[in-house]
Structures are given as C-alpha cells and as structure tokens.
Amino acid sequence: MSLAHGRHFLSIPGPSVMPDRVLNAMHQAAPNIYEGDIITLTAEVFDNLAKIGRTTEAKPLIYMANGHGAWEASLTNTFSRGDTALVLFTGRFARGWAEQAERLGINVQSIDFGPRSPVDPQQVEDALRADTAGKIRAVMMVQTDTATSVLNDVPAVRAAIDAAGHSALLMVDCIASFACDAFEMDAWGVDVMVTGSQKGLMTPPGLGMNYVGPRALESRERADLATPYWDWKPRCNPQVYYQQFCGTAPTHHLFGLHAATSMILEEGIENVWARHVTLSKAVHAAVEAWGQGGPLECNIAEPAHRSRAVTSIRTGSIDANALRRYCEDELGLTLGVGLPLGSPVMGGREEGVFRIGHMGHLSPPMILGTLASIETALTALNMPHGQGAVAAAAAVIAGH
Ligand SMILES: *Cc1c(COP(=O)(O)O)cnc(C)c1O
C-alpha cells in the first residue's frame, strides 16, 4: 500500500518548489496593462532582480521564454555570423548553449573539462593567449551545470581573461545557480548573465532573463544576428512600457516573480546563499554516510566544487530508476533523473545517476524529509548503504 499521500515533495532541480506566497500572488484577475499597479510592480521586479544579481551597471531583461530562449537572446545580441565563441564544457548545459550558437552560424571553440571536474582557469588563459588574432568574441560558461552538479569559479575565469589581456566578453549561464550560489555581476566583471524563473527564483517556468552589462550592450551594435523580439536595445531603453516585453507583459508571472524576489530580499540575498550552503552540505554529508556502506557517491568529489543548488549522485550497482520509482510511488517524493553527464546527446538519460534539487524555497524539514525518504527507499529495497546519513545531515544543520 502506497504511503504517498499528504503534501507531495518535489526535489528536482527545476522547476523548484513554489512558495504559497508566489502562488497566491498569481491568483488574481487580469490587470490593465497600460496603466496602474502593473507599471510600478514591474519597475520593482526589475529593481529586485538587479539587487539579487548585485548590479547597478547591468540591466536585467525579462523574456517570455524558458532558459533556452534566454540563451538564444544572449547569443543573437552578442555575435555576428562567423564570430568565434570559446565555450567551457563541464557537463551538459554549456554544450546545449554551444549547439544553439553553432546553429546560428557562430564558430564554437570548446574546452571539455569532463563530467566530474570544474573549469580550469589556466586552460582558459592559455586558449585566450593562443588567440593572437583576437577572434574570440566571448567566453561562455555555466556557473552550476545541472547534470554534473559542478560549481564553477566565475571570478577565476574573469581573472584568466584579464591575465591573458584578452577583450573577450564573459557570458555566464546561472539558470540553475541564481539566488542559490553566490553571484556578483559587477564585482566579478560578468558581461552577460542568463537565468530563468523556475529554479532559485521560485516562480513557474516561463520567464528567461538576460543581464546585460555595459560592454555587452556596446558589442550589440556589431551583432548582426539580432532579431526584433530578442533585441536588447529597445528593452534596455524602453520609451513605452510594452517595449520592456516586446508586447503584452507576462502579467501573472510578474505577480509571482514580484513575490518571490521580495521574499529573497526580505531574507537577505547573503542569507539565502548561506542557507543554500548549509542545506547542500547536509545533502553531501548524507551521501557520504550512505557511501560508507555502499556504492552511492557525489559525482563531484571535491566539496568546494559542488553546487549548492543540485547534487548529482552516482549509484554504481544500485538501480537509480528503481530507487526513484519507489520514492515517487510509495513515498510521495520526486527525485531528479540523471542527465547525460558529458555526452553530446541532448534529451537523453544517464543511468546510474539521480539528482536531488535543493534550490529555492527549502527548509531543514524539507531537506531532512527528502534524505530520510531516500534512506527509507534504500532500506526497503535492500540496497547497500552506510548508516547514519540522516544524523549526519542533522548534525550539519545543527552546527550551522
Ligand atoms: C535548467 C537549465 C537550463 C535550461 O533551462 P530551460 O528553462 O529548461 O530551457 C540551462 N542551463 C542550466 C544550467 C539549467 O540548469
């Protein structure tokens, strides 16, 4: 008999759990989109996004699109056909971004750091030094790769670009990591940042953001791939309200995002980051305890290189799909499937991996409930695992 009743737990890396305050904010009649409250609310949303991204120099833009749409916006405004991008692969997601770039006619030069390691800034510096003709228009990287759950060091890549004396722009995909891992748009010298509504921002899928720094906006002047809907220019300097969205505003998503970004700023962005550090360490402590008596292990061995938003767990001889299925059907907990860690195939699955999303609206009882449920499944299915995982997670939280 299934025990999957009561509130269903969603522990996947996006869409993340939506707070009741966000859902309630969306539950209202359609507003006038030409005047009134929506105008002020929209301005507040953009202000909140700038604060969360720690920028006064860059302009956050909102598209009615998922992350893939925001990727395309970032590319078409930065590049011309035939330009070169240096793309840093640390799993699946920078590859997806690079595939879009290639289809747009951008020449992709890549460095692959493998499925279990972060970007090595020295190799980036070397590649830029070797580009004596100055062909590379931008370096593209992912802060947290959601397939491998690696956390890359963004300021170290900026330092590598500067050390090479190269003029390439720095473009960062923070779709999984935004409002989870620390991020400083201005202080880190990021030129373009791409994110979306449905992960750390706790709002339904459907909004994609580009943060456009001053150097990026300059480079837009030369980008011949720009198209009307995605064009940064009218969105950066709107003469009338509707130009911010190139048409009707995503009214209800804005209501939700206003609530979510207000919650983040009321908690304090640094406190949000610190909460994600503690809860992610609790997950890592549990996986390490399980791994003492069985094959489970974090895909990323070095704790400093692990994401605070998602953890990919290798299951070895344990059937990851059977584990997920039991959690879902018998316990009411949905875990993330394994995504291809390094293969060029998009849309596939990685067997022998599952993922825990720990992003956004998350408390100790939620994460401890998830970990205890996984332990329940391991026990029920006679899967080998070490003892003490929940206690280890609780100790991390107790000592925070
Ligand atoms: C989720 C995600 C994407 C893709 O976002 P969609 O909204 O699914 O298009 C891209 N990059 C990273 C790092 C992600 O986590």
Side-chain angles (χ1 to χ4, degrees):
M1 185 193 65
S2 170
L3 298 173
H5 297 277
R7 181 166 282 223
H8 190 92
F9 263 50
L10 188 67
S11 295
I12 65 174
S16 64
V17 174
M18 289 179 259
D20 290 345
R21 186 166 155 194
V22 170
L23 295 172
N24 291 336
M26 297 179 78
H27 193 88
Q28 54 174 295
N32 184 350
I33 53 163
Y34 296 104
E35 52 195 25
D37 292 348
I38 190 79
I39 313 287
T40 0
L41 179 134
T42 302
E44 285 171 10
V45 168
F46 281 115
D47 277 358
N48 289 352
L49 286 175
K51 285 186 184 127
I52 295 169
R54 310 275 264 199
T55 185
T56 54
E57 291 169 13
K59 180 92 181 77
L61 307 179
I62 300 175
Y63 295 93
M64 296 161 96
N66 58 15
H68 283 67
W71 272 350
E72 189 162 330
S74 71
L75 296 171
T76 53
N77 283 280
T78 307
F79 295 97
S80 295
R81 200 172 292 273
D83 278 352
T84 299
L86 176 62
V87 190
L88 313 179
F89 292 171
T90 53
R92 180 55 241 172
F93 284 86
R95 283 176 198 274
W97 203 7
E99 282 155 18
Q100 274 197 350
E102 275 176 336
R103 287 193 58 190
L104 287 165
I106 298 161
N107 174 26
V108 169
Q109 182 184 332
S110 60
I111 310 178
D112 189 348
F113 299 92
R116 306 190 76 169
S117 308
V119 165
D120 168 11
Q122 187 59 51
Q123 290 187 48
V124 179
E125 186 182 327
D126 295 346
L128 290 171
R129 281 189 193 282
D131 177 37
T132 46
K135 284 202 166 143
I136 296 170
R137 168 62 60 92
V139 175
M140 292 161 50
M141 67 182 293
V142 170
Q143 188 182 21
T144 276
D145 184 285
T146 323
T148 61
S149 72
V150 75
L151 172 64
N152 286 310
D153 187 341
V154 176
V157 173
R158 171 84 264 166
I161 298 172
D162 293 347
H166 202 286
S167 66
L169 298 174
L170 175 58
M171 303 173 67
V172 187
D173 168 343
C174 294
I175 298 175
S177 52
F178 193 59
C180 303
D181 284 300
F183 178 80
E184 305 269 0
M185 182 91 193
D186 291 354
W188 292 357
V190 176
D191 297 297
V192 180
M193 192 271 278
V194 179
T195 191
S197 52
Q198 79 271 29
K199 297 185 184 174
L201 290 176
M202 311 183 291
T203 302
L207 299 181
M209 292 91 177
N210 279 187
Y211 281 57
V212 182
R215 287 185 63 229
L217 192 56
E218 242 172 68
S219 98
R220 157 69 190 86
E221 297 300 330
R222 287 167 309 191
D224 74 10
L225 286 170
T227 53
Y229 180 77
W230 303 110
D231 195 351
W232 284 342
K233 284 211 292 188
R235 291 168 183 263
C236 280
N237 292 303
Q239 303 304 306
V240 283
Y241 177 80
Y242 87 91
Q243 284 183 315
Q244 296 179 96
F245 303 102
C246 193
T248 304
T251 51
H252 287 64
H253 272 82
L254 291 174
F255 293 147
L257 190 60
H258 186 267
T261 53
S262 300
M263 287 173 73
I264 289 168
L265 293 172
E266 285 161 20
E267 183 178 349
I269 186 62
E270 291 178 5
N271 296 332
V272 171
W273 297 337
R275 175 166 53 83
H276 281 82
V277 168
T278 299
L279 297 179
S280 63
K281 281 186 177 163
V283 172
H284 304 154
V287 177
E288 268 149 37
W290 288 324
Q292 297 303 308
L296 294 191
E297 58 168 338
C298 288
N299 180 52
I300 303 299
E302 168 56 43
H305 299 152
R306 290 178 188 158
S307 162
R308 285 78 182 251
V310 53
T311 299
S312 301
I313 298 161
R314 289 179 174 258
T315 61
S317 57
I318 286 179
D319 181 345
N321 288 328
L323 179 72
R324 280 194 311 101
R325 197 58 33 241
Y326 185 93
C327 287
E328 175 121 31
D329 295 346
E330 301 297 325
L331 307 178
L333 166 70
T334 303
L335 296 169
V337 300
L339 289 184
L341 296 181
S343 90
V345 189
M346 193 67 182
R349 291 272 185 91
E350 184 87 24
E351 302 299 329
V353 174
F354 73 93
R355 294 177 303 155
I356 302 176
H358 34 89
M359 47 177 60
H361 192 53
L362 198 70
S363 65
M366 292 162 77
I367 203 70
L368 290 168
T370 293
L371 297 171
S373 300
I374 295 169
E375 176 137 331
T376 304
L378 292 167
T379 305
L381 298 174
N382 288 316
M383 292 168 164
H385 63 282
Q387 298 302 305
V390 176
V396 169
I397 295 170
H400 86 283

